[in-house]
Amino acid sequence: MKKALKKILFIIIGNLLLFPLSLLNAGEYLWPIEGYYTLTGTFGEFRYSHFHAGIDISTKGIIGLPIRAIENGYVYRIRTSPVGYGRALYLMLDDGNIAVYGHLSKFAPKIEKWVQQKQLETREFSLNTFFDPYFFPIKKGEVIGYSGDTGNVPPHLHFELRKEEDQPVNPLIYIPKLPLEQAYPRINAVAINPMGIDSTVDEDWETKIYRARWDSHRRCYYIPENIYVWGKCGIEVFTYDILQRHRLGINKIQMVVNDELVSTLKYDSFFYREYRKNYQLVDRELFLKEKGRFQRLYRTPGNNLSFYFITEGRDGILSTSSSFPCTRLQPGKNQLKITVENSGKKKQSLLFYLIAQPPFFQQKESIRYPIKKISNFN
């Protein structure tokens, strides 16, 4: 009798110990295409007319790879179109999130059969249909479709994850520990934008671009020039990630001025009402002049994009005066550090100095600060 009780007790304890692990496994999403981990597009990255709302997964030019459900749920929506997402499937997951699969060549057989019948009935290729939970229930890992190039794009899978219909989120937050062979991100240049009628950069009223160089000793990027500023200025950075020769967007950017964190850009989520406000973040003038995709580390008037995290009441703009809501630059030399991070948590930094000093035509009214020539951050 005692042995039987001990056996039952051990079984109960074992199940209790395993219970949290089962919950953990249930909450982990699968990768949509098993064995294919090369990204050709990242979440929130700048596109010509919008922000990218998902990630693009390379199929290495292959059409017909099986696409699987990342979690239990049901087919919530099917959309077919000759453009855009092409043949797209939307899964409502058990946790309330929505997974979107775009550019499919075809759907799983039972879904494909229904779609073809509906197209014959309506005599229309384009569909946009919503379903009840009982219509197409889906199990985690089940094949729901096949990779393709529909929507007039090269073969790849566009994959989105939405918390709500109006809020796409970065899928890589929910599917961690992927074998993404990422190098360190690149920092190409910074642009200094004078922000007021009396503001100057190197005694000029135009935006100035400064190319970054690599310091192999300090293992970081730097700008060798002494940059003289006066009045208000905004800092912009041209940076990107590299994954197997594909140029991708960055996940996070931070700017620190004189050891004070001034602004952060983090591409984790946004709202579809912000979808086409991409030029509030990227300098449109420099982009159209083919100078690069410079991301503003400050807010312009009316810019409330979800990517920005700036001290409440401030705008990320720097100033040589104490005018609120700007961050004040000290007279003379000010050290700036910009750190960028990709989705694989690899970081790279850029160091440079701004010299707060009035231009020559304002010297009579202002004190000129004696500045020693800066060489290699010494």
Side-chain angles (χ1 to χ4, degrees), residues 350-365:
L350 166 69
L351 295 175
F352 63 102
Y353 291 97
L354 295 183
I355 313 302
Q357 184 168 282
F360 73 94
F361 46 80
Q362 293 184 11
Q363 293 302 317
K364 293 180 181 179
E365 301 176 5

Side-chain angles (χ1 to χ4, degrees), residues 288-354:
L288 294 179
K289 290 181 178 178
E290 299 183 348
K291 301 294 185 181
R293 300 179 181 184
F294 285 87
Q295 300 171 68
R296 295 186 177 99
L297 303 184
Y298 58 94
R299 290 186 187 272
T300 52
N303 179 355
N304 294 310
L305 292 174
S306 303
F307 301 127
Y308 283 93
F309 296 88
I310 299 176
T311 304
E312 187 175 357
R314 294 189 177 272
D315 54 17
I317 295 173
L318 310 181
S319 176
T320 56
S321 69
S322 57
S323 57
F324 194 79
C326 301
T327 297
R328 188 179 182 194
L329 295 172
Q330 299 300 319
K333 184 169 69 173
N334 297 264
Q335 186 185 69
L336 279 75
K337 181 179 181 180
I338 296 175
T339 302
V340 301
E341 181 180 306
N342 63 21
S343 54
K345 303 299 182 183
K346 291 187 176 181
K347 299 179 180 180
Q348 203 62 270
S349 295
L350 166 69
L351 295 175
F352 63 102
Y353 291 97
L354 295 183

Side-chain angles (χ1 to χ4, degrees), residues 38 66 175 207 210 336 338:
T38 298
I175 313 177
T207 300
Y210 300 88
L336 279 75
I338 296 175

Side-chain angles (χ1 to χ4, degrees), residues 64-168:
L65 293 175
I67 307 299
R68 57 187 185 175
I70 64 169
E71 184 54 276
N72 296 332
Y74 68 93
V75 175
Y76 161 72
R77 179 186 181 190
I78 287 176
R79 189 172 185 180
T80 57
S81 170
V83 295
Y85 287 5
R87 298 167 72 87
L89 188 146
Y90 299 67
L91 286 186
M92 178 67 74
L93 307 179
D94 283 353
D95 60 9
N97 289 339
I98 299 171
V100 183
Y101 304 77
H103 309 307
L104 303 179
S105 61
K106 59 182 180 179
F107 304 107
K110 61 180 179 181
I111 304 172
E112 183 70 23
K113 182 178 179 181
W114 183 94
V115 169
Q116 290 179 1
Q117 289 177 345
K118 194 69 174 178
Q119 288 173 329
L120 286 172
E121 290 174 11
T122 61
R123 296 185 179 181
E124 294 283 348
F125 173 78
S126 297
L127 298 176
N128 187 20
T129 308
F130 294 81
F131 299 89
D132 292 324
Y134 61 84
F135 209 87
F136 286 123
I138 298 294
K139 293 294 184 182
K140 182 176 183 178
E142 182 178 342
V143 174
I144 56 174
Y146 300 88
S147 67
D149 58 357
T150 57
N152 195 28
V153 296
H156 73 277
L157 174 68
H158 173 84
F159 178 73
E160 288 183 27
L161 198 58
R162 303 176 182 178
K163 273 193 161 183
E164 301 170 3
E165 189 64 26
D166 194 40
Q167 190 181 14

